Amino acid sequence: HAVSLGAGTLTSSGSYTADGGYNGTAHLAVASLQAQQPVPLQAGKLEATATAQAGAPLKVTASLQALQAGAKPGWLVPVDLQATASLPPAGAAAFDLQGSDAAKHLQFRASGHYDLAAGAGKLRFAVPPLEFAGDKLQPVDVAPVVKPWITETTGKLALSGHLSWAAGQAPKSDLRLLVEDLSFTAGSLGVAQLNSVIALSQIWPPVTAARQEIAVGVANLGLPLADGLIGFDLRPDGSALVQLERLQLAGGDVTARNITARPLEAKMDAVLDVTGVELQQLLSIGGIEASASGTLAGHVPIKLDGETAEIHGGRLEAPGPGIIRYQPKTLPAALQGQDQGSKLLVSALQNLHYKSLWLGLDRAANGETVVGLHVTGANPELYGGYPVELNINLTGQLEKVVRQTL
């Protein structure tokens, strides 16, 4: 993989004797460094000094300014590196490396060895915990690429592990990413209380060593989901196989299997299987002052794309009859009409014994949501229990309700 170096100088001084061998130093200074493979890299000034003393290992010190990976704005903020190495006449070279960005937000240390003859080596490293909190530290401060949509982050991330390589073989990784009480918002979406220790076999693009799991306290994915467990496999092509093992919605369970997602692009299409949702809790989440019996089940197709979520054709249906009693202290403006239709609707809902009930759910990318309530039944106190059929569409910004759960 080609590395391009800017203008530079190489100087050396020393002496050689038949008895004492070579003693001296060499100094390299280069104005800039660039590479495109295996990942785009650019850096500022590179300086390295090698000191040789007969019979002793070659000592090397080096520094590199403003190293950044990825095209601008860059995956990570630019970091300055300092390295030392010891190269014996035979055997493996040992080296140490440390680095940080200008603000000292992102820091790391590494050490390892490299056998020149075998073309094999190993690097151990650790990134101290990044503790996100309010306006003190946010992901954009260490990873500018997330600036457009990750905000309001709290919690902790840390990374440690080792990399190894051998001649003729692809590098191998054994990494552990700690995720502790991580919460963030992404536009109108958000999650809270993510916890896991994720095993990675490749650092970029990230690839999991095997199936991993992450616990989720709250997930606003266009619906107010909570108390979840998500399984996933990150693949070399940047995709992920996701299993929604368990999420809760209004007392019910939400699952989905074998979802193909693209986490680096924050894209996912899934059909959520919903069972046991309690109608009473669902009405309470929507801020509707009513008591209700019964549960709902069905399917909700959802599309996530960056900071937006869309739902088209969601349907939750009651498996049997139940009761809705809607007797608010103050009627909403839409039901305060004096026409016969409005009065009949309010009267019917005061003690509606439904035979069938289902909800339709659609949500646009801007958060505008339409919930269709379709009910057949009767109020035994209204016209002697004359059967009624109600079709009501509720519209609005579901975000205002959902974000309260975060």
Side-chain angles (χ1 to χ4, degrees):
H1 300 140
V3 176
S4 301
L5 300 177
T9 60
L10 175 64
T11 60
S12 64
S13 62
S15 61
Y16 176 83
T17 64
D19 295 333
Y22 180 76
N23 294 274
T25 60
H27 182 76
L28 172 68
V30 176
S32 62
L33 176 151
Q34 286 188 335
Q36 294 301 319
Q37 296 292 335
V39 296
L41 296 173
Q42 50 272 333
K45 188 176 183 180
L46 167 66
E47 289 192 90
T49 300
T51 302
Q53 186 174 358
L58 177 68
K59 302 292 185 181
V60 179
T61 60
S63 64
L64 182 62
Q65 296 179 358
L67 174 64
Q68 190 169 32
K72 290 184 178 181
W75 299 334
L76 298 173
V77 290
V79 295
D80 295 335
L81 303 179
Q82 296 80 40
T84 61
S86 176
L87 290 74
F95 57 87
D96 289 283
L97 178 69
Q98 60 182 347
S100 72
D101 67 306
K104 306 295 183 184
H105 292 315
L106 179 62
Q107 303 183 59
F108 64 91
R109 293 188 64 90
S111 62
H113 62 270
Y114 180 67
D115 190 319
L116 295 173
K122 189 171 187 177
L123 170 71
R124 294 181 177 85
F125 73 95
V127 178
L130 296 169
E131 298 190 24
F132 301 106
D135 58 357
K136 294 181 180 179
L137 180 64
Q138 289 294 294
V140 66
D141 297 323
V142 294
V145 71
V146 305
K147 184 176 182 179
W149 49 282
I150 298 292
T151 59
E152 300 177 28
T153 303
T154 61
K156 183 186 297 185
L157 290 176
L159 181 67
S160 63
H162 69 258
L163 308 174
S164 59
W165 60 95
Q169 300 180 19
K172 298 179 180 179
S173 305
D174 184 8
L175 311 172
R176 296 293 183 271
L177 175 64
L178 169 69
V179 182
E180 184 176 313
D181 290 333
L182 186 68
S183 303
F184 62 86
T185 60
S188 61
L189 311 180
V191 295
Q193 300 170 354
L194 292 174
N195 285 279
S196 184
V197 178
I198 300 171
L200 299 173
S201 60
Q202 179 175 297
I203 194 168
W204 195 265
V207 176
T208 49
R211 183 179 182 275
Q212 304 294 303
E213 291 184 343
I214 189 165
V216 184
V218 175
N220 165 15
L221 305 180
L223 293 172
L225 307 175
D227 297 332
L229 183 65
I230 300 175
F232 60 95
D233 291 280
L234 301 179
R235 298 166 167 174
D237 64 358
S239 68
L241 183 63
V242 179
Q243 315 287 343
L244 300 186
E245 301 289 356
R246 181 187 74 246
L247 284 164
Q248 289 191 348
L249 170 64
D253 295 322
V254 178
T255 60
R257 303 292 182 185
N258 300 324
I259 305 165
T260 299
R262 300 201 67 84
L264 297 179
E265 302 171 27
K267 293 184 177 182
M268 183 180 79
D269 289 277
V271 177
L272 306 182
D273 298 317
V274 183
T275 59
V277 168
E278 296 182 12
L279 182 57
Q280 174 69 71
Q281 288 196 34
L282 199 61
L283 294 176
S284 297
I285 290 174
I288 298 174
E289 299 179 58
S291 62
S293 64
T295 60
L296 303 174
H299 306 284
V300 179
I302 186 168
K303 177 181 180 180
L304 303 181
D305 189 352
E307 54 189 328
T308 66
E310 297 180 39
I311 297 172
H312 299 289
R315 181 180 173 117
L316 301 178
E317 187 170 356
I323 300 174
I324 297 176
R325 292 189 174 96
Y326 180 58
Q327 301 172 356
K329 295 178 181 179
T330 303
L331 286 172
L335 296 179
Q336 291 180 6
Q338 297 303 309
D339 59 281
Q340 188 65 25
S342 297
K343 292 180 179 180
L344 179 61
L345 175 59
V346 172
S347 297
L349 289 174
Q350 286 180 350
N351 185 24
L352 181 62
H353 292 232
Y354 65 82
K355 290 184 178 181
S356 67
L357 180 150
W358 64 274
L359 295 177
L361 180 61
D362 291 275
R363 181 185 189 278
N366 65 0
E368 189 71 20
T369 303
V370 178
V371 178
L373 173 63
H374 308 271
V375 188
T376 63
N379 183 339
E381 302 166 357
L382 182 65
Y383 300 135
Y386 190 83
V388 297
E389 180 176 345
L390 304 178
N391 295 286
I392 306 169
N393 283 335
L394 309 174
T395 63
Q397 289 282 338
L398 189 61
E399 315 319 325
K400 296 178 181 178
V401 175
V402 172
R403 285 175 65 88
Q404 292 176 2
T405 66
L406 295 175

